[in-house]
Amino acid sequence: MRPQFISSRGNEYFCEIDEDYLTDRFNLTGLNTEVQYYQYALDLITDVFDLDCDDDMRETIEKSARHLYGLIHARYIVTTRGLAKMLDKYKKADFGKCPRVFCHSHPLLPMGQTDIPHQKPVKLYCVRCEDVYNPKSSRHAAIDGAYFGTSFHNIMFQVYPALVPPKSADRYIPRVYGFKVHASAALIRWQNTQRADMLRRLRKLEIESGFKEDVGDEDLEEEDEEEDDIELEGMEGDAMHVVG
């Protein structure tokens, strides 16, 4: 089953688990309580399955076998042999490349956000920018993150420290006609504008805002008075036009 599973479309993130690892029951401790039809699923993975069953039963066992393989895979890839296999795939960028422009297509590594199955799907980690991304393919995005675990990508770079690239100092700098945009100043202006609009609406509705009065509030009152004067002048003009 293993060669077929690895070669199946959507399973490119997985490496093939060694036969010796699968037959050592110590490596599978505790998994029998987490997988339905555990023994049949294991027999299917190790190609010794000989149960005569109907199609529905076999489909259920195959589903359990895929889940069992994923759980074993999470344990296997943190072993010396497993890390070496995943390293080969990493060097070939089998997991994809970082979409961030300033990472210059640096290879990614799969990772889980939890070690508990059926909680969160797999994500992709870039060691250069130290950020996490979603897989591009929907098939890959449906893979359980627990099949890779939360420690694998960190262990990889602990075992192979030479893989850690220098951190990119490049950052996108917003500019307007060549001049840098001061982010904090722009944020403050936006916040002040939003606050002023809100206070103006609350005053018109005669609702107490609860904000501490400041110079900006006095300016708002003057603006409100000017708006009221303009509205009154407009109404008087309309009235005179009607009388005339």
Side-chain angles (χ1 to χ4, degrees):
M1 173 190 171
R2 284 169 296 143
Q4 294 87 342
F5 177 80
I6 297 301
S7 61
S8 298
R9 192 176 179 185
N11 291 335
E12 293 83 1
Y13 287 1
F14 294 91
C15 68
E16 186 172 352
I17 303 174
D18 293 333
E19 183 78 20
D20 293 342
Y21 190 88
L22 290 170
T23 54
D24 186 344
R25 296 308 173 99
F26 176 78
N27 299 325
L28 313 181
T29 302
L31 295 181
N32 59 324
T33 61
E34 298 186 38
V35 179
Q36 187 181 22
Y37 301 115
Y38 168 80
Q39 190 57 55
Y40 291 141
L42 183 59
D43 290 344
L44 188 60
I45 292 174
T46 54
D47 295 323
V48 295
F49 182 79
D50 60 355
L51 178 67
D52 186 14
C53 58
D54 56 29
D55 292 342
D56 291 339
M57 182 66 173
R58 184 175 180 86
E59 183 178 350
T60 301
I61 294 174
E62 288 180 352
K63 183 178 179 181
S64 295
R66 288 192 293 269
H67 180 49
L68 178 59
Y69 190 92
L71 296 177
I72 299 173
H73 185 269
R75 298 183 178 188
Y76 176 72
I77 58 176
V78 294
T79 65
T80 302
R81 180 62 178 156
L83 285 170
K85 288 188 176 183
M86 295 297 277
L87 175 61
D88 290 339
K89 296 173 71 66
Y90 174 74
K91 289 181 176 179
K92 293 185 292 185
D94 286 351
F95 310 114
K97 299 178 180 179
C98 184
R100 183 175 178 271
V101 174
F102 292 118
C103 283
H104 307 292
S105 300
H106 198 275
L108 299 169
L109 268 183
M111 60 162 285
Q113 293 178 293
T114 177
D115 294 311
I116 303 173
H118 310 306
Q119 294 290 323
K120 293 184 178 181
V122 69
K123 301 297 180 183
L124 297 172
Y125 172 74
C126 176
V127 67
R128 186 167 188 135
C129 63
E130 297 182 334
D131 212 340
V132 179
Y133 302 92
N134 290 316
K136 289 183 178 180
S137 170
S138 58
R139 286 187 175 89
H140 296 152
I143 298 173
D144 198 319
Y147 296 164
F148 298 89
T150 57
S151 302
F152 157 67
H153 60 292
N154 294 316
I155 293 175
M156 173 73 82
F157 296 115
Q158 290 290 325
V159 175
Y160 302 104
L163 293 177
V164 181
K167 295 296 180 285
S168 175
D170 296 331
R171 293 290 184 274
Y172 172 71
I173 301 175
R175 296 177 184 274
V176 175
Y177 297 115
F179 297 98
K180 295 181 181 179
V181 176
H182 198 296
S184 59
L187 177 62
I188 291 173
R189 287 196 298 271
W190 179 83
Q191 290 175 333
N192 288 338
T193 302
Q194 295 298 314
R195 180 172 180 269
D197 291 341
M198 182 183 66
L199 288 174
R200 190 175 293 109
R201 290 195 299 271
L202 290 174
R203 283 202 176 93
K204 286 185 177 181
L205 295 173
E206 297 182 353
I207 298 175
E208 180 62 34
S209 66
F211 285 110
K212 182 180 179 181
E213 297 293 326
D214 53 23
V215 177
D217 296 337
E218 294 176 357
D219 294 338
L220 280 176
E221 292 177 357
E222 294 179 359
E223 291 179 7
D224 291 341
E225 291 176 358
E226 291 178 359
E227 289 180 0
D228 293 341
D229 292 341
I230 292 173
E231 290 179 0
L232 288 173
E233 289 177 1
M235 293 174 63
E236 291 174 356
D238 291 341
M240 291 177 65
H241 179 72
V242 171
V243 172

